[in-house]
Structures are given as C-alpha cells and as structure tokens.
Amino acid sequence: MKVKNQIILALDVEDKDEAYKILDQTTPYLNTIKIGYPITLALGPQIIQQIKDDYNVQIIADFKVADIDATNEKIVNTTLNWGADSIIVHGFTGDDSVLAAKNMAEKNNKEIFLLTEMSHPGADRFLKPVAEEIAQMGVDMGIKNYVAPATKTDRLAKIREIVGDEAFIISPGVGVQGGKIQDTLKYADAAIIGRSIYNSDNPQQTLEDLINM
Ligand code: 3DU
C-alpha cells in the first residue's frame, strides 16, 4: 500500500456534510482514509464507495474484526464488497480466526491489517502481554500489514523488530492521544490521525504542519 505523505486520516465523524468538508480540505494531501464504526454506523456502509468515488482515495475499514473464523470470513467479504481496499482484524482471537480473514481478503485480491497492540492506556492490561506473540503469529502466517501504537514508541519499535523491515506498519495515536509524528514514523510506515485533523479549525493547515514536521 502506498500512503501519500505517510498520513492516514481517521474519519470518525458522523455527519456527511462534515465528512465531505474535511475530505475537500485534506484529500489534496492524502490518498488513504480510515473508515470506522462511527461513520459507517451513522451513514451506512455505502459511504465507503461514495468516498472512494468522490475523492479517488483508498479506504482502510477499521472494523477490528474479532470473531470466530466463519463469522470473520463473512464480515471481511461483505466489507470488501462495500468497496473497502483493506480491513483491520484483531490478532488476539488466534490463528484460525485471522487465517479465515486473510484468506477471504486474498480471495477478493485485497489485504488485511493485523492489529497487534492498541494505543490507549487500558490496552496495557490485557493486550500488551500478548502483543509480541500476536505479531509473531502474523509473521508466521505471512501477513504483511500491521497496526501498532504511536503512543508507546518502545512497543512500536518492538513490533517493528518482530515483523521486520519489509512489513508495512500503520500507527494510530498521534496527536490527541499523545503520540508524536516524528517518533512514530521512525518505526511505522504511516501515522493514523483523526481528531487533531478533523476537529481542527483549519484541517488543511494542521495537515500541512504535520507533513512539514
Ligand atoms: O485519536 P485519533 O482521533 O487520532 O484517532 C485514532 C484512530 O485510530 C481512531 O479511529 C481509533 O479508533 C483508531 N485506533 C486507535 O486509536 C488505537 C488503536 O490501537 C487502534 C485504532
């Protein structure tokens, strides 16, 4: 995946006019938009294809898929059929669940991102102790794309060490959650940024500033 300016916009707004206003200002600089539950549940899954058609961007569906294999397969297939280019899948569910998601994405000529560890403080309790194993499972399964936290640079660095330089890591938590873009991009291929951009008085200027840091 090629991410323009190494920034992915997390478009977690729930109003179409607002979403389009932000996209108008930011897509001259971006080619990758992360769509999650907030906008999809508010506006319906057809918003994925609408944004792709209207802005010529690639869409990562952040549905953090975390079910049994048979259900993961359906979620991945349906999401990719709605127009998403890739989908984020949790790793803690284990290799059968992740493999089902990976195989279905490949059947659609698309890709999954494996979520290893999360950026919020609460993730230290349950996810951090197994995150390195999740990353190693991904490597053993031949997964190329990963999500790892920008707020915990030491953890991001560790996950990079496990998945290797050829893997593609996207990293959420820059800005409001406390992560710094310069530190994040030492280890990640792209930063995922939401509120700092879409809640800014001037999203275009904020984005330009981030790009020039
Ligand atoms: O904190 P921000 O507003 O910049 O948004 C970060 C986005 O990344 C948001 O969509 C959130 O759901 C997602 N995300 C994390 O913040 C942390 C993770 O570990 C995984 C996804």
Side-chain angles (χ1 to χ4, degrees):
M1 177 172 276
K2 282 229 174 332
V3 175
K4 191 171 171 182
N5 284 317
Q6 293 183 284
I7 293 177
I8 297 164
L9 173 64
L11 192 58
D12 295 327
V13 299
E14 295 165 285
D15 176 82
K16 190 170 178 189
D17 290 343
E18 193 187 345
Y20 270 50
K21 212 168 118 189
I22 295 156
L23 289 166
D24 284 343
Q25 292 189 47
T26 54
T27 46
Y29 305 89
L30 303 177
N31 70 348
T32 312
I33 308 295
K34 186 175 80 67
I35 293 289
Y37 290 115
I39 192 167
T40 310
L41 296 177
L43 303 177
Q46 60 278 2
I47 191 66
I48 297 172
Q49 193 64 50
Q50 284 170 6
I51 291 175
K52 271 179 76 77
D53 291 346
D54 291 337
Y55 293 95
N56 190 27
V57 288
Q58 51 192 353
I59 303 282
I60 300 174
D62 184 2
F63 292 162
K64 296 187 177 67
V65 183
D67 217 312
I68 61 163
D69 53 358
T71 308
N72 271 6
E73 210 170 84
K74 290 174 186 163
I75 297 169
V76 168
N77 193 40
T78 303
T79 304
L80 298 177
N81 281 324
W82 278 111
D85 297 285
S86 58
I87 181 164
I88 295 175
V89 175
H90 258 303
F92 72 79
T93 50
D95 54 9
D96 48 355
S97 289
V98 173
L99 185 64
K102 178 178 184 275
N103 287 344
M104 185 49 79
E106 284 169 2
K107 205 167 157 189
N108 282 277
N109 289 317
K110 293 181 177 178
E111 299 178 324
I112 63 165
F113 279 84
L114 186 68
L115 179 44
T116 56
E117 183 167 337
M118 295 185 73
S119 59
H120 60 303
D124 286 356
R125 185 169 177 189
F126 298 117
L127 209 42
K128 183 181 171 185
V130 294
E132 291 172 36
E133 266 187 90
I134 291 173
Q136 186 59 53
M137 177 187 76
V139 172
D140 296 343
M141 293 175 70
I143 291 171
K144 293 179 305 205
N145 304 314
Y146 296 86
V147 185
T151 48
K152 306 166 187 178
T153 318
D154 58 326
R155 303 297 302 151
L156 175 59
K158 185 72 203 170
I159 288 161
R160 167 60 77 192
E161 196 185 307
I162 295 167
V163 300
D165 290 342
E166 298 302 309
F168 195 81
I169 301 181
I170 61 175
S171 187
V174 166
V176 175
Q177 294 186 56
K180 303 267 174 292
I181 193 159
Q182 303 96 319
D183 297 339
T184 303
L185 293 180
K186 278 185 205 154
Y187 305 104
D189 297 283
I192 296 168
I193 309 177
R195 286 165 291 178
S196 305
I197 296 172
Y198 68 72
N199 282 342
S200 160
D201 291 337
N202 188 339
Q204 179 174 340
Q205 188 59 52
T206 303
L207 192 48
E208 280 180 18
D209 293 346
L210 283 161
I211 290 165
N212 294 322
M213 269 182 190

mmCIF file of all heavy atoms in Angstrom, residues 10 12 34 62 64 115 117-119 147 172-174 176-177 192-196 198, ligand 1:
data_model
loop_
_atom_site.group_PDB
_atom_site.id
_atom_site.type_symbol
_atom_site.label_atom_id
_atom_site.label_comp_id
_atom_site.label_asym_id
_atom_site.label_seq_id
_atom_site.Cartn_x
_atom_site.Cartn_y
_atom_site.Cartn_z
ATOM 1 N N ALA A 10 -8.147 9.318 9.956
ATOM 2 C CA ALA A 10 -9.211 8.539 10.616
ATOM 3 C C ALA A 10 -10.462 9.412 10.605
ATOM 4 O O ALA A 10 -10.579 10.359 11.377
ATOM 5 C CB ALA A 10 -8.803 8.202 12.048
ATOM 6 N N ASP A 12 -13.524 9.811 11.699
ATOM 7 C CA ASP A 12 -14.511 9.365 12.693
ATOM 8 C C ASP A 12 -15.576 10.427 12.949
ATOM 9 O O ASP A 12 -15.908 10.719 14.111
ATOM 10 C CB ASP A 12 -13.802 8.982 13.995
ATOM 11 C CG ASP A 12 -12.899 7.774 13.839
ATOM 12 O OD1 ASP A 12 -13.240 6.881 13.033
ATOM 13 O OD2 ASP A 12 -11.857 7.724 14.504
ATOM 14 N N LYS A 34 -9.161 6.167 6.665
ATOM 15 C CA LYS A 34 -9.618 5.073 7.518
ATOM 16 C C LYS A 34 -11.059 5.353 7.938
ATOM 17 O O LYS A 34 -11.369 6.384 8.511
ATOM 18 C CB LYS A 34 -8.718 4.940 8.752
ATOM 19 C CG LYS A 34 -9.071 3.718 9.610
ATOM 20 C CD LYS A 34 -8.107 3.533 10.767
ATOM 21 C CE LYS A 34 -8.387 4.415 11.928
ATOM 22 N NZ LYS A 34 -9.660 4.133 12.655
ATOM 23 N N ASP A 62 -11.717 0.077 9.388
ATOM 24 C CA ASP A 62 -11.263 -0.261 10.737
ATOM 25 C C ASP A 62 -12.430 -0.858 11.510
ATOM 26 O O ASP A 62 -13.073 -0.193 12.311
ATOM 27 C CB ASP A 62 -10.737 1.002 11.434
ATOM 28 C CG ASP A 62 -10.168 0.694 12.805
ATOM 29 O OD1 ASP A 62 -10.148 -0.486 13.186
ATOM 30 O OD2 ASP A 62 -9.739 1.644 13.485
ATOM 31 N N LYS A 64 -11.970 -3.731 13.215
ATOM 32 C CA LYS A 64 -11.347 -4.535 14.292
ATOM 33 C C LYS A 64 -12.043 -5.881 14.431
ATOM 34 O O LYS A 64 -12.567 -6.244 15.498
ATOM 35 C CB LYS A 64 -11.377 -3.769 15.609
ATOM 36 C CG LYS A 64 -10.552 -2.489 15.572
ATOM 37 C CD LYS A 64 -10.438 -1.825 16.919
ATOM 38 C CE LYS A 64 -9.561 -0.590 16.879
ATOM 39 N NZ LYS A 64 -10.138 0.523 16.074
ATOM 40 N N LEU A 115 -4.034 -6.226 13.779
ATOM 41 C CA LEU A 115 -3.898 -5.339 14.943
ATOM 42 C C LEU A 115 -3.167 -6.101 16.049
ATOM 43 O O LEU A 115 -3.644 -7.130 16.533
ATOM 44 C CB LEU A 115 -5.289 -4.884 15.390
ATOM 45 C CG LEU A 115 -5.425 -3.964 16.607
ATOM 46 C CD1 LEU A 115 -4.404 -2.850 16.600
ATOM 47 C CD2 LEU A 115 -6.818 -3.374 16.648
ATOM 48 N N GLU A 117 -1.176 -4.423 19.005
ATOM 49 C CA GLU A 117 -1.339 -3.803 20.323
ATOM 50 C C GLU A 117 -2.018 -2.463 20.124
ATOM 51 O O GLU A 117 -1.809 -1.806 19.110
ATOM 52 C CB GLU A 117 0.047 -3.613 20.963
ATOM 53 C CG GLU A 117 0.002 -3.039 22.362
ATOM 54 C CD GLU A 117 1.355 -3.154 23.074
ATOM 55 O OE1 GLU A 117 2.179 -4.012 22.698
ATOM 56 O OE2 GLU A 117 1.578 -2.388 24.017
ATOM 57 N N MET A 118 -2.814 -2.023 21.119
ATOM 58 C CA MET A 118 -3.565 -0.774 20.953
ATOM 59 C C MET A 118 -2.895 0.389 21.682
ATOM 60 O O MET A 118 -2.022 0.201 22.520
ATOM 61 C CB MET A 118 -5.015 -0.959 21.401
ATOM 62 C CG MET A 118 -5.762 -1.949 20.501
ATOM 63 S SD MET A 118 -7.502 -2.104 20.900
ATOM 64 C CE MET A 118 -8.138 -0.545 20.295
ATOM 65 N N SER A 119 -3.358 1.594 21.346
ATOM 66 C CA SER A 119 -2.659 2.804 21.791
ATOM 67 C C SER A 119 -3.144 3.354 23.125
ATOM 68 O O SER A 119 -2.457 4.154 23.746
ATOM 69 C CB SER A 119 -2.834 3.891 20.722
ATOM 70 O OG SER A 119 -4.210 4.162 20.530
ATOM 71 N N VAL A 147 -0.956 -3.108 12.513
ATOM 72 C CA VAL A 147 -1.294 -1.887 13.251
ATOM 73 C C VAL A 147 -0.586 -1.979 14.602
ATOM 74 O O VAL A 147 -0.681 -3.012 15.278
ATOM 75 C CB VAL A 147 -2.818 -1.754 13.484
ATOM 76 C CG1 VAL A 147 -3.142 -0.422 14.151
ATOM 77 C CG2 VAL A 147 -3.599 -1.907 12.176
ATOM 78 N N PRO A 172 -1.765 4.271 14.956
ATOM 79 C CA PRO A 172 -2.691 5.272 15.480
ATOM 80 C C PRO A 172 -2.232 5.818 16.827
ATOM 81 O O PRO A 172 -1.516 5.135 17.574
ATOM 82 C CB PRO A 172 -3.980 4.470 15.674
ATOM 83 C CG PRO A 172 -3.519 3.094 15.978
ATOM 84 C CD PRO A 172 -2.177 2.905 15.323
ATOM 85 N N GLY A 173 -2.683 7.045 17.147
ATOM 86 C CA GLY A 173 -2.397 7.621 18.450
ATOM 87 C C GLY A 173 -1.598 8.901 18.395
ATOM 88 O O GLY A 173 -1.262 9.474 19.424
ATOM 89 N N VAL A 174 -1.290 9.370 17.188
ATOM 90 C CA VAL A 174 -0.580 10.654 17.042
ATOM 91 C C VAL A 174 -1.559 11.795 17.313
ATOM 92 O O VAL A 174 -2.706 11.754 16.878
ATOM 93 C CB VAL A 174 0.005 10.792 15.614
ATOM 94 C CG1 VAL A 174 0.436 12.227 15.325
ATOM 95 C CG2 VAL A 174 1.185 9.846 15.428
ATOM 96 N N VAL A 176 -4.000 13.845 19.596
ATOM 97 C CA VAL A 176 -4.818 13.908 20.817
ATOM 98 C C VAL A 176 -4.415 12.830 21.841
ATOM 99 O O VAL A 176 -4.364 13.082 23.041
ATOM 100 C CB VAL A 176 -6.326 13.796 20.481
ATOM 101 C CG1 VAL A 176 -7.165 13.749 21.739
ATOM 102 C CG2 VAL A 176 -6.761 14.962 19.599
ATOM 103 N N GLN A 177 -4.093 11.650 21.374
ATOM 104 C CA GLN A 177 -3.713 10.570 22.312
ATOM 105 C C GLN A 177 -2.281 10.720 22.834
ATOM 106 O O GLN A 177 -1.854 9.963 23.706
ATOM 107 C CB GLN A 177 -3.884 9.201 21.659
ATOM 108 C CG GLN A 177 -5.325 8.847 21.336
ATOM 109 C CD GLN A 177 -5.449 7.414 20.825
ATOM 110 O OE1 GLN A 177 -5.036 6.465 21.478
ATOM 111 N NE2 GLN A 177 -6.034 7.257 19.644
ATOM 112 N N ILE A 192 -1.776 7.127 11.611
ATOM 113 C CA ILE A 192 -3.235 7.294 11.503
ATOM 114 C C ILE A 192 -3.605 8.468 12.410
ATOM 115 O O ILE A 192 -3.309 8.431 13.607
ATOM 116 C CB ILE A 192 -3.961 6.028 11.993
ATOM 117 C CG1 ILE A 192 -3.632 4.825 11.108
ATOM 118 C CG2 ILE A 192 -5.471 6.264 12.054
ATOM 119 C CD1 ILE A 192 -4.074 3.484 11.705
ATOM 120 N N ILE A 193 -4.233 9.486 11.851
ATOM 121 C CA ILE A 193 -4.558 10.672 12.663
ATOM 122 C C ILE A 193 -6.013 11.065 12.442
ATOM 123 O O ILE A 193 -6.455 11.218 11.305
ATOM 124 C CB ILE A 193 -3.629 11.860 12.312
ATOM 125 C CG1 ILE A 193 -2.154 11.410 12.348
ATOM 126 C CG2 ILE A 193 -3.861 13.023 13.283
ATOM 127 C CD1 ILE A 193 -1.151 12.474 11.947
ATOM 128 N N GLY A 194 -6.738 11.232 13.540
ATOM 129 C CA GLY A 194 -8.139 11.600 13.447
ATOM 130 C C GLY A 194 -8.413 12.982 13.992
ATOM 131 O O GLY A 194 -8.360 13.982 13.274
ATOM 132 N N ARG A 195 -8.699 13.055 15.312
ATOM 133 C CA ARG A 195 -9.199 14.290 15.907
ATOM 134 C C ARG A 195 -8.319 15.512 15.686
ATOM 135 O O ARG A 195 -8.844 16.612 15.491
ATOM 136 C CB ARG A 195 -9.445 14.066 17.409
ATOM 137 C CG ARG A 195 -10.683 13.224 17.663
ATOM 138 C CD ARG A 195 -10.713 12.716 19.075
ATOM 139 N NE ARG A 195 -9.664 11.725 19.334
ATOM 140 C CZ ARG A 195 -9.446 11.144 20.510
ATOM 141 N NH1 ARG A 195 -10.188 11.478 21.547
ATOM 142 N NH2 ARG A 195 -8.502 10.229 20.649
ATOM 143 N N SER A 196 -7.000 15.349 15.726
ATOM 144 C CA SER A 196 -6.128 16.532 15.537
ATOM 145 C C SER A 196 -6.415 17.200 14.210
ATOM 146 O O SER A 196 -6.240 18.402 14.066
ATOM 147 C CB SER A 196 -4.651 16.149 15.537
ATOM 148 O OG SER A 196 -4.335 15.471 16.676
ATOM 149 N N TYR A 198 -9.521 16.417 12.069
ATOM 150 C CA TYR A 198 -10.926 16.750 11.782
ATOM 151 C C TYR A 198 -11.561 17.680 12.798
ATOM 152 O O TYR A 198 -12.565 18.310 12.502
ATOM 153 C CB TYR A 198 -11.777 15.501 11.509
ATOM 154 C CG TYR A 198 -12.040 14.552 12.649
ATOM 155 C CD1 TYR A 198 -12.901 14.888 13.698
ATOM 156 C CD2 TYR A 198 -11.467 13.294 12.655
ATOM 157 C CE1 TYR A 198 -13.149 14.010 14.728
ATOM 158 C CE2 TYR A 198 -11.704 12.403 13.691
ATOM 159 C CZ TYR A 198 -12.543 12.767 14.728
ATOM 160 O OH TYR A 198 -12.784 11.888 15.752
HETATM 161 O O1 3DU B 1 -7.011 9.505 18.349
HETATM 162 P P1 3DU B 1 -7.420 9.942 16.974
HETATM 163 O O2 3DU B 1 -8.623 10.819 16.931
HETATM 164 O O3 3DU B 1 -6.258 10.487 16.187
HETATM 165 O O4 3DU B 1 -7.905 8.641 16.184
HETATM 166 C C1 3DU B 1 -7.220 7.429 16.141
HETATM 167 C C2 3DU B 1 -7.993 6.441 15.321
HETATM 168 O O5 3DU B 1 -7.338 5.182 15.319
HETATM 169 C C3 3DU B 1 -9.405 6.171 15.800
HETATM 170 O O6 3DU B 1 -10.175 5.867 14.660
HETATM 171 C C4 3DU B 1 -9.269 4.942 16.662
HETATM 172 O O7 3DU B 1 -10.457 4.193 16.700
HETATM 173 C C5 3DU B 1 -8.184 4.183 15.923
HETATM 174 N N1 3DU B 1 -7.345 3.313 16.730
HETATM 175 C C6 3DU B 1 -6.687 3.764 17.818
HETATM 176 O O8 3DU B 1 -6.787 4.949 18.159
HETATM 177 C C7 3DU B 1 -5.865 2.884 18.541
HETATM 178 C C8 3DU B 1 -5.706 1.615 18.164
HETATM 179 O O9 3DU B 1 -4.896 0.838 18.830
HETATM 180 C C9 3DU B 1 -6.372 1.176 17.040
HETATM 181 C C10 3DU B 1 -7.182 2.047 16.341
#
